[in-house]
């Protein structure tokens, strides 16, 4: 009994040490897997699997866009920057320490829809600071005079919560892209513009036009560029590099308070979005692994995180964009039910597992069951 109590005390001590560690800018403490009782061979096998499971699609993201979305969507013209990505790369952080890395983790690449999680975080900061009073408030009254984004019987019903959960069913055209043209519904192209209208909040639909609407609406609330807000309130405090960039489109410029400002996009569907390296993605993920606090300062409120990681009525596996949840372990059978992933095309992944004090960044892994298999292999390497 005494030995078990000593061991329990040691585990609690190590857990407290891990929770107290925050990587300084430009570095991350590494340790040998064996020092944390991680099975080195199993971990090496997991890394080898991640490398071998690289997405087989072209590294040229413009070409991928043309052969996926462009093959089945109208209005598919690229209107923002795109890039040629690095090979598969990633990081594994356990109990706060780096225990594995692979590939070109310094490469600044598109992160596609993980950008949405950065966007909803910036919207959350506006909520924390009272710029948005209540997420159940309708968005239209927050817009300046003359901005007609939420006019009419249908669009006027939309709340901030609807935008965050991708249940707004907003109808319109933004930056030259009609809402119906993103993943169009209907049997034939003639049906696409005449999609059924659903009551806002009742139907989940992954839609980049509406996410870009959230970005523009949040810009009007902040009254300054969203990359500036993100940099000042999140990226600099967590020690991120200066290499990341957040882009919009060639035509997504507005005049706001006498200044010309670009409204950023929530992903790379038509180009743009966040271009970032694996290290900075890991810092962003680590912020949420540590419940939104960094070195004793609560950057993102726990109340916001609780809302973000709560599934909606229309889709219990999706919180705020892009918080992918694991109820019933359906999405990731190998992961705990409480695990969360931030996901983007390509496939870009931030895996957050508080039960195991585990953070993983996996970039350019296959689109099938590869993520679930990788998670299973990494967890199998951890001590029981």
């Amino acid at each position: 009994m005494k030995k078990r109590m000593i061991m329990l005390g040691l585990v609690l001590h190590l857990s407290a040490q891990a929770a107290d560690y925050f990587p300084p800018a430009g570095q991350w403490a590494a340790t040998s897997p064996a020092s944390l009782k991680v099975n080195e061979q199993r971990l090496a096998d997991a890394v080898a699997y991640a490398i071998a499971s690289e997405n087989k699609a072209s590294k040229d993201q413009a070409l991928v866009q043309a052969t996926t979305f462009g093959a089945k969507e109208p209005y598919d013209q690229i209107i923002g920057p795109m890039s040629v990505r690095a090979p598969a790369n990633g990081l594994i952080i356990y109990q706060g320490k780096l225990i594995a890395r692979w590939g070109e983790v310094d490469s600044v690449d598109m992160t596609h829809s993980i950008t949405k999680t950065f966007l909803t975080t910036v919207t959350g900061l506006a909520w924390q600071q009272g710029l948005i009073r209540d997420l159940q408030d309708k968005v239209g009254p927050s817009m300046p005079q003359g901005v007609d984004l939420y006019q009419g019987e249908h669009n006027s019903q939309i709340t901030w919560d609807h935008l965050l959960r991708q249940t707004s069913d907003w109808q319109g055209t933004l930056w030259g892209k009609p809402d119906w043209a993103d993943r169009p519904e209907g049997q034939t192209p003639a049906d696409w513009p005449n999609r059924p209208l659903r009551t806002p909040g009742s139907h989940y639909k992954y839609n980049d036009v509406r996410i870009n609407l959230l970005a523009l609406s949040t810009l009007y609330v902040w009254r300054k560029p969203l990359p500036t807000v993100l940099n000042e309130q999140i990226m600099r405090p967590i020690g991120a590099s200066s290499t990341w960039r957040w882009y919009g489109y060639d035509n997504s410029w507005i005049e706001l308070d006498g200044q010309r400002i670009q409204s950023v996009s929530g992903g790379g569907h038509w180009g743009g979005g966040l271009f970032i390296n694996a290290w900075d993605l890991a810092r962003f993920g680590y912020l949420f692994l540590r419940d939104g606090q960094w070195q004793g300062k609560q950057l993102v409120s726990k109340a916001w995180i609780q809302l973000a990681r709560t599934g909606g009525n229309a889709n219990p596996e999706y919180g705020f964009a892009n918080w992918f949840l694991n109820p019933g372990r359906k999405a990731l059978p190998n992961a705990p039910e409480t695990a969360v992933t931030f996901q983007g095309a390509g496939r870009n992944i931030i895996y957050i597992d508080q039960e195991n004090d585990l953070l993983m960044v996996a970039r350019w892994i296959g689109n099938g069951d590869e993520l679930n298999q990788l998670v299973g292999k990494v967890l199998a390497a951890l001590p029981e």
Side-chain angles (χ1 to χ4, degrees):
M1 176 65 73
K2 184 176 181 181
K3 183 178 181 181
R4 287 179 60 189
M5 291 181 65
I6 292 173
M7 288 300 295
L8 177 60
L10 178 60
V11 169
L12 292 174
H13 175 67
L14 291 173
S15 298
Q17 283 185 322
D20 289 340
Y21 175 75
F22 293 91
Q27 55 185 293
W28 204 308
T31 190
S32 68
S35 69
L36 297 177
K37 303 188 184 308
V38 175
N39 185 299
E40 294 192 355
Q41 185 56 58
R42 288 182 178 178
L43 184 64
D45 290 344
V47 170
Y49 178 81
I51 296 170
S53 299
E54 180 175 348
N55 192 322
K56 300 299 187 287
S58 171
K59 292 182 174 63
D60 186 332
Q61 299 303 282
L63 180 57
V64 173
Q65 153 73 18
T67 55
T68 53
F69 292 118
K72 55 190 175 185
E73 289 185 356
Y75 297 90
D76 65 312
Q77 299 87 351
I78 294 171
I79 53 176
M82 302 199 84
S83 67
V84 177
R85 67 167 176 84
N89 59 86
L91 303 162
I92 300 175
I93 312 294
Y94 178 57
Q95 294 187 2
K97 303 299 174 63
L98 177 69
I99 59 170
R101 56 180 285 185
W102 63 95
E104 300 173 20
V105 290
D106 294 308
S107 182
V108 177
D109 288 334
M110 299 179 74
T111 198
H112 293 282
S113 284
I114 290 181
T115 306
K116 292 176 174 61
T117 317
F118 287 84
L119 169 60
T120 56
T121 298
V122 171
T123 306
L125 295 175
W127 175 78
Q128 281 177 222
Q129 296 169 36
L131 300 177
I132 296 171
R133 186 188 66 85
D134 191 313
L135 297 183
Q136 304 306 321
D137 285 348
K138 294 177 180 177
V139 184
S142 298
M143 298 298 100
Q145 186 175 5
V147 174
D148 299 331
L149 296 171
Y150 298 95
Q151 301 301 306
E153 182 179 352
H154 181 74
N155 287 345
S156 64
Q157 301 175 62
I158 294 170
T159 68
W160 289 101
D161 187 80
H162 297 153
L163 290 177
L164 290 161
R165 296 189 182 280
Q166 300 227 54
T167 61
S168 73
D169 202 61
W170 182 81
Q171 183 181 38
T173 298
L174 184 63
W175 315 133
K177 308 293 185 183
D179 70 277
W180 57 263
D182 181 354
R183 302 164 179 86
E185 301 176 67
Q187 298 299 315
T188 68
D191 298 328
W192 295 346
N194 304 310
R195 67 172 187 83
L197 286 182
R198 285 100 169 191
T199 302
S202 67
H203 179 75
Y204 167 84
K205 172 72 185 294
Y206 200 91
N207 186 284
D208 285 304
V209 176
R210 296 174 192 140
I211 283 293
N212 291 336
L213 175 70
L214 172 62
L216 178 58
S217 301
T218 302
L219 170 59
Y220 277 123
V221 166
W222 271 111
R223 301 175 74 144
K224 58 182 175 180
L226 300 191
T228 299
V229 177
L230 179 67
N231 189 45
E232 292 174 349
Q233 301 198 29
I234 299 293
M235 302 304 272
R236 277 197 292 192
I238 66 176
S241 75
S242 62
T243 62
W244 64 273
R245 293 293 183 272
W246 192 357
Y247 299 104
Y249 304 131
D250 300 337
N251 62 347
S252 65
W253 293 86
I254 65 168
E255 184 172 306
L256 184 60
D257 298 332
Q259 294 183 312
R260 189 169 182 261
I261 296 176
Q262 188 180 42
S263 184
V264 289
S265 70
H269 192 148
W270 301 289
L274 206 68
F275 287 53
I276 193 168
N277 66 32
W279 293 112
D280 288 343
L281 287 176
R283 287 176 181 273
F284 185 70
Y286 196 72
L287 172 66
F288 292 101
L289 185 72
R290 296 292 177 246
D291 289 320
Q293 68 94 16
W294 198 276
Q295 291 183 323
K297 185 174 181 181
Q298 197 72 40
L299 301 182
V300 180
S301 79
K302 292 183 179 180
W304 177 264
I305 294 173
Q306 184 57 43
L307 290 168
R309 65 179 301 148
T310 300
N313 293 330
N315 186 353
E317 295 183 35
Y318 196 74
F320 291 166
N322 243 11
W323 288 68
F324 288 91
L325 313 176
N326 199 32
R329 300 173 66 184
K330 289 184 291 185
L332 292 174
N334 289 333
E337 190 167 7
T338 55
V340 171
T341 52
F342 304 154
Q343 300 191 26
R347 192 181 190 192
N348 285 269
I349 301 293
I350 301 176
Y351 172 83
I352 300 169
D353 183 344
Q354 290 183 317
E355 285 191 30
N356 293 292
D357 200 359
L358 176 68
L359 170 73
M360 180 163 54
V361 173
R363 308 199 74 181
W364 315 116
I365 193 170
N367 288 317
D369 194 48
E370 290 89 345
L371 174 61
N372 181 54
Q373 293 301 317
L374 177 60
V375 168
K377 291 177 184 297
V378 173
L379 291 180
L382 302 186
E384 295 181 2

